[in-house]
């Protein structure tokens, strides 16, 4: 799991992550290049990638942990 923050300052991102107990890496997309390359149309968006980095599923908008787990389990054939 990697988070990508769009065009915010590092201090604001670190504060938000700490307040929300986020214990995964959060990359800063200060230029908006990542959002452009992945054609992000809404924030938040969740992308699930395969080992080659190809998008295999996407959720636009907020997603609950249980729903995300169900998507991943389905993709893994469980």
């Amino acid at each position: 799991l990697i988070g990508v923050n769009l065009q915010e300052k590092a201090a604001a991102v670190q504060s938000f992550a700490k307040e929300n107990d986020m214990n995964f890496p959060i990359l800063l997309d200060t230029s908006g290049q990542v959002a452009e390359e992945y054609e992000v149309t809404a924030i938040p968006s969740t992308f699930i990638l395969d080992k080659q980095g190809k998008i295999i599923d996407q959720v636009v908008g907020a997603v609950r942990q249980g729903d995300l787990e169900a998507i991943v389990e389905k993709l893994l054939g469980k």
Side-chain angles (χ1 to χ4, degrees):
L1 176 64
I2 297 173
V4 179
N5 182 273
L6 303 179
Q7 301 177 328
E8 291 185 293
K9 295 188 187 250
V13 174
Q14 290 170 349
S15 177
F16 180 83
K18 185 176 181 179
E19 290 172 14
N20 290 281
D21 295 321
M22 295 176 169
N23 59 0
F24 51 86
I26 301 174
L27 307 176
L28 302 179
D29 180 19
T30 56
S31 68
Q33 181 179 349
V34 174
E36 186 176 314
E37 288 184 26
Y38 280 86
E39 299 178 4
V40 174
T41 59
I43 300 171
S45 290
T46 301
F47 296 88
I48 300 171
L49 311 177
D50 66 12
K51 290 180 181 181
Q52 290 73 40
K54 179 182 172 191
I55 298 171
I56 57 173
D57 207 342
Q58 176 180 0
V59 179
V60 176
V63 62
R64 288 183 246 149
Q65 181 177 343
D67 294 336
L68 184 57
E69 288 171 354
I71 292 168
V72 171
E73 287 178 2
K74 180 180 174 187
L75 291 169
L76 292 173
K78 292 185 176 184

